[in-house]
Amino acid sequence: MNTLPEHIAIIMDGNGRWAKQQGFLTRIKGHERGVLALRAATTGAAELGIKYLTVYAFSSENWNRPKPEINALMRILVKSIKKELKTLNNNNIRLNAIGDLSALPKDCQDELQEVMHATAGNDHMVLTLALSYGSRQEITQAVQSLAQQVASGQLKPEDIDQAAIAGALYTADMPDPDLVIRTSGEQRVSNFLLWQISYAELVFLNVLWPDFSKEHLIQAIAQFQGRERRLGKTSEQLK
Ligand code: IPE
Ligand code: IPE
Ligand code: MG
């Protein structure tokens, strides 16, 4: 199987451990270097012809981190979104964001809206930042929105099918990820795209996120291509 995944999702993990390993006194340096790794992953994915790249940048649970780390992450976010506009346009990449964006600081929301607007016409690849994102929260708001449509008579309960649920998620206009990559060696999904990754291939890499390069992306895609995606069928049926 040599087909490329259409949609890759990445859990960018290991910034704090990288900073510690390098001897930095705070975890912040790891987050700063993580931005460079994200640039490498983004341009690398676009060069390879990936259509959708979705990255987990800040989870709903990450709000429980120490306040100084949260503030630093938000500052890095605002600065980077602004700075990466040129790279996005040069590579014909559209920026998108999913999550409870209203929980982000105002300057961060403004910067996001501005760059999403400025890249809206780009159509080579969609880069989606999952920010203040939690899958259970996403599913909860989807259920609420469907229940409201039922209550107002717009929707019949028996019309709630898988497509209706998928359509009520933040990812309504995207195909499901084919491949999920998590760096840092941790092997868990940490509340990321639970509905959407039900049949994704999972690849866990023993590299800390700031050290991630296009080579690691290629390595993960090669692992994906070596897998047999049976989707419930038998191996013989696929032949
Ligand atoms: C991932 O790196 C970045 C975010 C979750 C924002 P971590 O900050 O989780 O780094 P580790 O896992 O503690 O090394
Ligand atoms: C997951 O990483 C969230 C992001 C990468 C943004 P965490 O480091 O927060 O995950 P846990 O807490 O180790 O599961
Ligand atoms: Mg972590």
Side-chain angles (χ1 to χ4, degrees):
M1 188 181 77
N2 285 316
T3 47
L4 274 178
E6 184 183 18
H7 184 175
I8 298 179
I10 307 184
I11 302 175
M12 309 184 289
D13 197 18
N15 293 352
R17 277 164 281 173
W18 182 90
K20 197 169 175 185
Q21 195 186 70
Q22 300 291 314
F24 291 112
L25 293 174
T26 74
R27 301 163 50 85
I28 314 302
K29 272 276 180 275
H31 298 313
E32 284 171 353
R33 284 296 295 262
V35 175
L36 300 181
L38 176 54
R39 187 192 294 162
T42 303
T43 54
E47 280 160 20
L48 292 170
I50 304 303
K51 296 317 276 178
Y52 297 86
L53 179 68
T54 300
V55 297
Y56 206 5
F58 192 85
S59 73
S60 45
E61 289 71 31
N62 288 149
W63 290 114
N64 297 320
R65 290 197 178 187
K67 196 93 180 96
E69 180 168 350
I70 295 176
N71 291 343
L73 275 164
M74 294 301 147
R75 180 179 46 73
I76 292 167
L77 196 62
V78 176
K79 204 175 76 184
S80 316
I81 296 168
K82 208 188 294 244
K83 200 164 156 214
E84 298 305 316
L85 175 60
K86 216 195 289 168
T87 310
L88 294 173
N89 276 334
N90 286 345
N91 291 276
N92 196 12
I93 297 166
R94 175 160 71 84
L95 185 72
N96 179 36
I98 57 172
D100 179 14
L101 305 181
S102 67
L104 299 171
K106 181 77 170 60
D107 59 343
C108 194
Q109 292 183 39
D110 291 347
E111 205 54 57
L112 264 177
Q113 290 306 331
E114 202 173 309
V115 175
M116 286 195 287
H117 182 75
T119 60
N122 295 346
D123 62 3
H124 179 63
M125 185 178 89
V126 180
L127 170 67
T128 300
L129 304 179
L131 289 170
S132 186
Y133 175 88
S135 190
R136 287 188 166 191
Q137 175 258 317
E138 174 186 41
I139 292 169
T140 304
Q141 68 80 34
V143 171
Q144 283 177 1
S145 123
L146 293 171
Q148 268 154 12
Q149 290 173 48
V150 170
S152 68
Q154 286 167 271
L155 184 70
K156 292 201 287 275
E158 57 271 30
D159 289 338
I160 299 177
D161 54 10
Q162 294 190 20
I165 295 172
L169 300 174
Y170 296 132
T171 50
D173 50 359
M174 281 190 254
D176 288 338
D178 313 284
L179 166 63
V180 177
I181 302 169
R182 182 169 188 150
T183 58
S184 90
E186 304 298 348
Q187 304 194 350
R188 54 176 173 265
V189 291
S190 302
N191 203 13
F192 189 43
L193 303 173
L194 301 181
W195 170 278
Q196 298 90 336
I197 64 172
S198 52
Y199 255 112
E201 296 296 330
L202 309 180
V203 170
F204 299 102
L205 298 178
N206 270 322
V207 57
L208 299 173
W209 178 252
D211 289 328
F212 189 87
S213 67
K214 189 180 175 185
E215 304 320 309
H216 296 106
L217 184 66
I218 292 171
Q219 197 185 310
I221 293 172
Q223 279 198 47
F224 169 85
Q225 291 177 329
R227 307 261 178 100
E228 185 177 59
R229 304 190 77 199
R230 290 191 286 277
L231 306 173
K233 295 182 180 173
T234 67
S235 200
E236 289 66 33
Q237 281 178 293
L238 300 178
K239 301 237 157 73

